[in-house]
């Protein structure tokens, strides 16, 4: 994206981007303050990509998907949240305003599809058109975020899927070509390579960014970075090798190092301190300039309840060796 309202926009070619999941309020489970509305984070230059989590039921009542954004927009917990007639699709009008505000600050806002409890029960042709109509430049009477137009989708698929992911991604990329702006597709594979649920997608469809989860997976967790026993088959180097050997459908796909942004944001043994993560990011960034895209964090509530702010720590570490352009 070029300049957005005078603000420098997201540049996918940079190796210093920070992507953060927002929506599941996971820090509340750690007795920390609840996540704030999306708009509260828009003015922070430390975050470049915001991943709205989640669209977790692909085909719910009336054939429409179901969203969940915890304390911000969840009709099952808050009866005042409106739902479109004949569906369980929520109308999150305030989020629409916040999305446009974040975009005006140069941020990319993607809708993350999936999550640990997802129901991946949809036909790719129908679902892709529906996503375009509900959230992007298509047309529908049921627009959860009103006239806000998202910048694409993220696939956080953590179990086997009835949805044909390759067909869905290909359909989305075709729909993107009919739009008036740049759109993105990202995916969030687990760190053991190749990922069981997203491996085929990455090799057969054009994916722009891989937010690799180096947590909750044992030996490829961030906490094992730098150890001599960190096996080649289960860490960043394996992903880098695949990238360099043109194993992915998009040879310029950017690889992000995903981390939990708090001690209990995932498996506690996966967590690393801000200083450890900064060192890891700088080491990978300097060694793998072409493939490396930056950091991904789970999630916003943990990152902003930590001291120092985990997102700010990651951004500061990455900016020291920031480069843009090149192969992307």
């Amino acid at each position: 994206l070029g300049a957005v309202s005078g603000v420098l926009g997201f540049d996918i070619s940079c190796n210093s981007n920070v992507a953060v999941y927002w929506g599941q309020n996971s820090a509340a489970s750690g007795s920390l303050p609840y996540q704030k509305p999306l708009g509260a984070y828009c003015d922070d230059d430390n975050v470049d990509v915001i991943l709205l989590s989640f669209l977790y039921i692909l085909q719910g009542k009336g054939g429409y998907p179901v969203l969940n954004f915890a304390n911000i927009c969840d009709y099952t917990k808050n009866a005042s949240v409106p739902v479109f007639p004949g569906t369980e699709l929520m109308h999150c009008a305030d989020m629409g305003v916040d999305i446009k505000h974040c975009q005006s600050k140069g941020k990319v806002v993607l809708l993350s599809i999936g999550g640990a409890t997802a129901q991946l029960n949809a036909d790719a042709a129908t679902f892709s058109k529906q996503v375009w109509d509900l959230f992007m430049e298509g047309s529908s009477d049921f627009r959860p975020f009103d006239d806000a137009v998202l910048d694409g989708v993220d696939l956080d698929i953590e179990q086997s899927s009835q949805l044909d992911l390759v067909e869905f991604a290909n359909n989305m990329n075709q729909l993107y070509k009919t739009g008036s702006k740049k759109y993105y597709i990202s995916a969030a594979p687990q760190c053991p390579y190749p990922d069981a649920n997203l491996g085929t997608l990455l090799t057969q469809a054009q994916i722009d960014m891989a937010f690799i989860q180096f947590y909750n997976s044992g030996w490829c967790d961030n906490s094992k970075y730098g150890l001599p026993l960190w096996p080649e088959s289960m860490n960043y180097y394996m992903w880098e090798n695949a990238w360099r050997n043109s194993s992915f459908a998009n040879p310029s796909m950017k690889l992000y190092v995903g981390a939990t942004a708090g001690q209990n944001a995932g498996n506690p043994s996966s967590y690393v301190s801000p200083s450890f993560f900064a060192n890891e990011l700088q080491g990978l960034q300097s060694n793998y300039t072409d493939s490396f895209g930056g950091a991904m964090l789970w999630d916003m509530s943990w990152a902003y309840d930590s001291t120092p702010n985990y997102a700010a720590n990651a951004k500061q570490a990455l900016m020291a060796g920031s480069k843009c352009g090149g192969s992307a």
Side-chain angles (χ1 to χ4, degrees):
L1 301 175
V4 181
S5 302
V7 177
L8 185 63
F10 169 70
D11 185 345
I12 195 172
S13 76
C14 296
N15 64 359
S16 53
N17 288 313
V18 175
V20 186
Y21 283 87
W22 172 93
Q24 284 304 294
N25 190 33
S26 69
S29 65
S31 302
L32 293 172
Y34 280 17
Q35 71 180 359
K36 297 176 182 177
L38 179 62
Y41 306 101
C42 292
D43 295 328
D44 186 352
D45 292 336
N46 293 307
V47 178
D48 305 287
V49 181
I50 296 174
L51 301 149
L52 306 179
S53 53
F54 288 111
L55 186 161
Y56 76 107
I57 298 177
L58 277 56
Q59 188 174 27
K61 184 178 178 182
Y64 283 83
V66 181
L67 305 166
N68 180 285
F69 300 111
N71 61 309
I72 301 302
C73 193
D74 178 5
Y75 83 99
T76 67
K77 302 287 179 61
N78 183 351
S80 68
V81 174
V83 176
F84 291 109
T87 78
E88 295 176 287
L89 181 65
M90 299 182 297
H91 186 191
C92 306
D94 289 346
M95 282 183 61
V97 174
D98 287 348
I99 288 165
K100 290 189 288 185
H101 177 54
C102 285
Q103 291 170 327
S104 77
K105 297 296 183 178
K107 301 188 191 309
V108 163
V109 183
L110 307 182
L111 177 63
S112 187
I113 298 167
T117 62
Q119 297 179 28
L120 307 172
N121 55 341
D123 167 74
T126 302
F127 184 59
S128 55
K129 183 63 165 62
Q130 198 170 52
V131 168
W132 179 254
D133 289 342
L134 296 175
F135 303 105
M136 295 172 204
E137 290 185 62
S139 177
S140 174
D141 291 334
F142 298 166
R143 297 270 303 183
F145 308 130
D146 294 324
D147 62 347
V149 177
L150 296 180
D151 298 298
V153 295
D154 170 65
L155 293 168
D156 180 17
I157 308 301
E158 301 186 17
Q159 65 260 54
S160 61
S161 172
Q162 293 173 303
L163 175 69
D164 186 324
L165 297 175
V166 173
E167 182 183 350
F168 172 74
N170 289 339
N171 290 347
M172 292 308 302
N173 279 321
Q174 288 301 312
L175 289 165
Y176 288 174
K177 292 177 182 178
T178 70
S180 62
K181 66 175 184 176
K182 173 67 177 174
Y183 289 94
Y184 302 92
I185 300 182
S186 61
Q190 304 289 318
C191 51
Y193 181 85
D195 180 79
N197 300 306
L198 291 166
T200 300
L201 172 74
L202 297 176
T203 59
Q204 296 186 15
Q206 289 283 318
I207 305 300
D208 299 295
M209 295 168 279
F211 300 127
I212 308 165
Q213 300 182 45
F214 287 94
Y215 50 86
N216 300 340
S217 293
W219 266 105
C220 60
D221 287 352
N222 289 309
S223 58
K224 307 302 189 299
Y225 172 75
L227 296 180
L229 296 179
W230 205 30
E232 285 286 326
S233 62
M234 296 177 68
N235 60 31
Y236 187 91
Y237 310 129
M238 194 65 173
W239 288 89
E240 160 69 18
N241 289 340
W243 187 94
R244 197 154 299 284
N245 291 328
S246 301
S247 298
F248 303 119
N250 177 10
S252 297
M253 182 177 73
K254 287 295 187 177
L255 308 180
Y256 285 65
V257 177
T260 49
Q263 184 73 47
N264 294 303
N267 187 323
S269 67
S270 301
Y271 174 77
V272 295
S273 69
S275 59
F276 185 105
F277 192 51
N279 179 67
E280 178 183 357
L281 290 175
Q282 289 177 335
L284 295 173
Q285 181 191 51
S286 63
N287 287 329
Y288 306 109
T289 304
D290 293 336
S291 66
F292 188 85
M296 174 274 280
L297 304 177
W298 177 270
D299 68 347
M300 196 81 78
S301 60
W302 280 102
Y304 282 76
D305 284 339
S306 68
T307 305
N309 179 305
Y310 213 88
N313 172 78
K315 189 66 170 181
Q316 182 178 5
L318 290 166
M319 288 306 295
S322 180
K323 295 179 182 178
C324 300
S327 63

